[in-house]
Amino acid sequence: MERDFEPLKTRLRVICDRLDDDEQLYFRPLIDNFKGQTQEFQRIMRDLGKFGEKIGDGSKFQVYREIQHLFDDAFRKSQ
């Protein structure tokens, strides 16, 4: 099951690398400890909103959609 979420976790790590050091210290454990629960994912999405423009070069809403699709695909596989 956790293997299904690796593409999502990989993408989140790329985003995390763009953040400030203190933000990375907070956000990286959320990614590393992510087990695929909806509640965990909601927290990650909420926190992405706090990081604003740092999460991507283009539209942050495009990044949100990409992350949501990665989660949805992995969640379906894990069922």
Side-chain angles (χ1 to χ4, degrees):
M1 178 174 147
E2 284 186 48
R3 184 179 84 231
D4 296 329
F5 289 98
E6 277 309 309
L8 170 64
K9 291 171 86 170
T10 299
R11 180 63 176 108
L12 289 171
R13 287 183 185 109
V14 169
I15 292 170
C16 188
D17 289 342
R18 298 175 62 107
L19 304 176
D20 298 334
D21 290 341
D22 58 329
E23 293 168 332
Q24 287 184 27
L25 286 173
Y26 167 76
F27 196 59
R28 195 167 306 278
L30 295 178
I31 299 166
D32 293 339
N33 297 324
F34 181 71
K35 303 291 185 222
Q37 296 180 1
T38 301
Q39 182 178 347
E40 294 173 302
F41 180 70
Q42 289 171 337
R43 180 175 180 189
I44 287 172
M45 290 298 280
R46 183 189 70 228
D47 291 342
L48 283 177
K50 293 177 185 176
F51 301 136
E53 302 302 321
K54 296 177 190 176
I55 66 171
D57 292 327
S59 165
K60 64 182 175 180
F61 296 107
Q62 182 179 1
V63 175
Y64 295 153
R65 269 194 309 272
E66 177 188 1
I67 298 301
Q68 181 70 54
H69 288 300
L70 288 169
F71 175 76
D72 290 342
D73 291 345
F75 191 77
R76 274 188 233 107
K77 288 179 186 177
S78 70
Q79 297 293 319

